[in-house]
Amino acid sequence: MKFSLLMFGGALCVDAAVLGSRASYAVKGKPEGFATGVTGGGKAACQVPSSVAQLTTWLTDNVARCIVIDKEYNFKGTQGKAVENGCRPTSNACPGKGGQDAINLNNWCQPKFAGAGVKTIQVSYDKAGLYGINMGSNKSLIGVGNKGVIRGRGLRIAKAKNIIIQNIHFTEINPQYIWGGDAIATDAGSDLLWVDHCKFSLIGRQMFVAGTGAAGRITLSNNEFDGQTSWSATCDNRHYYAIYLDGSADKVTMKNNYIHHTSGRSPKVGQNTFLHAVNNYWYSNSGHAFDNLAGGKVVAEGNYFQSVATPLLENKGAFFGSPSTSANTACKTGLGHNCQMNTFVSSGKLGGTDTAFISTVKGQPIASVSAASTNIKNLAGVGRI
């Protein structure tokens, strides 16, 4: 940013136009759903970090901050490269033609995880991507227009609370490798997280993952989860590891997100997570959208599924898929409104008729619902706020 500096009687003055532009940097809107009440950096003055190093310092310290991203911050190469043994899992049936190999993180490259046909191979990856930046509490991280990009590294939120991440594009985190790194990950001790109008693309592992410790209250809204990739675990240019919600005591709202060109985990839900998935748009999913494990509790309403092969892979927990106008009246006990029907075009069916669990969120902040729409794709992601 350029400053116009004037000297009056020995005092250094900043041009009023510059002050006005800085003053305009602020979080826009408020979250709906479970993260209602999050304030992030609050009234802290918004500042633009001068470098990757300063951005890292501001993200990790214990100071309430409003951090403005008005350009690309590239973490690739900041921690060097690793060359070591990894593996080619059984899932990679298209080596050299767009498959995804794996880093041997947590000794994953063994048959019980990587499949009976796993082969040891050498992998070379960027070390910065493997572990996210550990954020401190009370932060607002906001992008300017469509210029705010964090490349090569993600964020980790554990033992940190009251965080807003808005209008940022996270990209290129070792996309060629399973276990290449997550874009945003939460864990035990976190609470009140709002991720809004962000874009996720070319991520090696999860675009968003919550768990396995309690991550508290989360709202994911107006985000674009772009699964288009040249390295696909399912060998079809679609990303498999999109969204995984597996916290031990989490309540998650997903509203107005555009989730496209994925092949699985969009999202996968488990352990003890309550998910309200409302008014999202899934497009071109060659595998499954929802996968509900034991302990997962999901209400899905007002969503639009277009060209989604399997909207729900399995339900080992509790799942309500808003199957009919008569059945949808059950939502009122917990959500305060009758659920809205989902829409399916060139897609499988959702199913899910469990209702007893819905009342467990009675009295908590719940996102509103409207009719399912494809217009979500025109409103979600960076630069559209």
Side-chain angles (χ1 to χ4, degrees), residues 264-383:
R265 290 194 182 185
S266 305
K268 185 175 183 177
V269 186
Q271 199 171 184
N272 186 23
T273 295
F274 188 109
L275 170 63
H276 183 206
V278 50
N279 290 143
N280 302 288
Y281 175 40
W282 280 267
Y283 173 69
S284 189
N285 184 311
S286 60
H288 62 270
F290 289 97
D291 183 7
N292 196 35
L293 305 180
K297 305 171 186 67
V298 180
V299 176
E301 60 163 331
N303 300 292
Y304 202 107
F305 297 86
Q306 185 171 4
S307 300
V308 178
T310 307
L312 175 61
L313 179 65
E314 61 181 352
N315 177 27
K316 294 182 178 179
F319 197 104
F320 186 71
S322 306
S324 67
T325 53
S326 58
N328 290 355
T329 59
C331 293
K332 199 161 189 177
T333 60
L335 306 186
H337 61 254
N338 293 343
C339 272
Q340 180 79 38
M341 296 290 291
N342 297 296
T343 297
F344 304 88
V345 175
S346 301
S347 299
K349 297 301 180 183
L350 189 59
T353 58
D354 304 308
T355 60
F357 72 100
I358 300 176
S359 62
T360 61
V361 294
K362 183 178 181 180
Q364 302 200 29
I366 301 297
S368 61
V369 61
S370 56
S373 173
T374 62
N375 194 45
I376 297 301
K377 67 180 179 181
N378 300 317
L379 305 174
V382 295

Side-chain angles (χ1 to χ4, degrees), residues 87-380:
C87 66
R88 177 155 294 151
T90 304
S91 62
N92 187 357
C94 52
K97 299 179 181 179
Q100 199 177 27
D101 292 323
I103 297 168
N104 191 25
L105 189 66
N106 299 322
N107 199 28
W108 187 80
C109 288
Q110 50 184 307
K112 68 177 180 179
F113 298 125
V118 61
K119 297 178 181 178
T120 299
I121 64 168
Q122 190 174 79
V123 297
S124 174
Y125 62 89
D126 196 279
K127 293 168 70 174
L130 217 59
Y131 299 103
I133 301 167
N134 285 295
M135 289 190 69
S137 297
N138 305 313
K139 309 286 186 185
S140 297
L141 179 65
I142 58 177
V144 177
N146 60 2
K147 299 177 182 178
V149 178
I150 295 180
R151 185 181 300 275
R153 196 174 186 190
L155 304 175
R156 183 173 182 268
I157 302 163
K159 298 181 181 178
K161 301 179 181 181
N162 193 32
I163 292 172
I164 298 170
I165 304 169
Q166 188 174 72
N167 203 36
I168 307 292
H169 184 186
F170 296 87
T171 191
E172 204 175 346
I173 303 177
N174 294 312
Q176 67 272 44
Y177 294 123
I178 299 171
W179 296 111
D182 303 315
I184 299 179
T186 71
D187 212 330
S190 59
D191 190 26
L192 285 175
L193 169 63
W194 180 30
V195 181
D196 178 65
H197 278 97
C198 291
K199 179 176 179 177
F200 304 90
S201 67
L202 297 176
I203 308 298
R205 190 61 172 178
Q206 309 293 161
M207 296 178 173
F208 184 90
V209 54
T212 56
R217 295 162 288 177
I218 299 169
T219 294
L220 307 175
S221 58
N222 306 296
N223 301 297
E224 180 184 1
F225 296 89
D226 180 358
Q228 297 176 95
T229 181
S230 297
W231 302 276
S232 168
T234 46
C235 294
D236 62 356
N237 298 114
R238 290 169 171 81
H239 189 57
Y240 180 84
Y241 305 98
I243 305 166
Y244 191 10
L245 308 174
D246 194 41
S248 60
D250 294 1
K251 292 181 175 63
V252 182
T253 299
M254 283 182 59
K255 180 171 181 177
N256 290 349
N257 298 287
Y258 176 35
I259 307 161
H260 63 98
H261 292 93
T262 58
S263 59
R265 290 194 182 185
S266 305
K268 185 175 183 177
V269 186
Q271 199 171 184
N272 186 23
T273 295
F274 188 109
L275 170 63
H276 183 206
V278 50
N279 290 143
N280 302 288
Y281 175 40
W282 280 267
Y283 173 69
S284 189
N285 184 311
S286 60
H288 62 270
F290 289 97
D291 183 7
N292 196 35
L293 305 180
K297 305 171 186 67
V298 180
V299 176
E301 60 163 331
N303 300 292
Y304 202 107
F305 297 86
Q306 185 171 4
S307 300
V308 178
T310 307
L312 175 61
L313 179 65
E314 61 181 352
N315 177 27
K316 294 182 178 179
F319 197 104
F320 186 71
S322 306
S324 67
T325 53
S326 58
N328 290 355
T329 59
C331 293
K332 199 161 189 177
T333 60
L335 306 186
H337 61 254
N338 293 343
C339 272
Q340 180 79 38
M341 296 290 291
N342 297 296
T343 297
F344 304 88
V345 175
S346 301
S347 299
K349 297 301 180 183
L350 189 59
T353 58
D354 304 308
T355 60
F357 72 100
I358 300 176
S359 62
T360 61
V361 294
K362 183 178 181 180
Q364 302 200 29
I366 301 297
S368 61
V369 61
S370 56
S373 173
T374 62
N375 194 45
I376 297 301
K377 67 180 179 181
N378 300 317
L379 305 174

Side-chain angles (χ1 to χ4, degrees), residues 35-55:
T36 295
V38 65
T39 58
K43 296 182 179 179
C46 292
Q47 296 177 291
V48 179
S50 61
S51 63
V52 164
Q54 188 170 59
L55 172 59

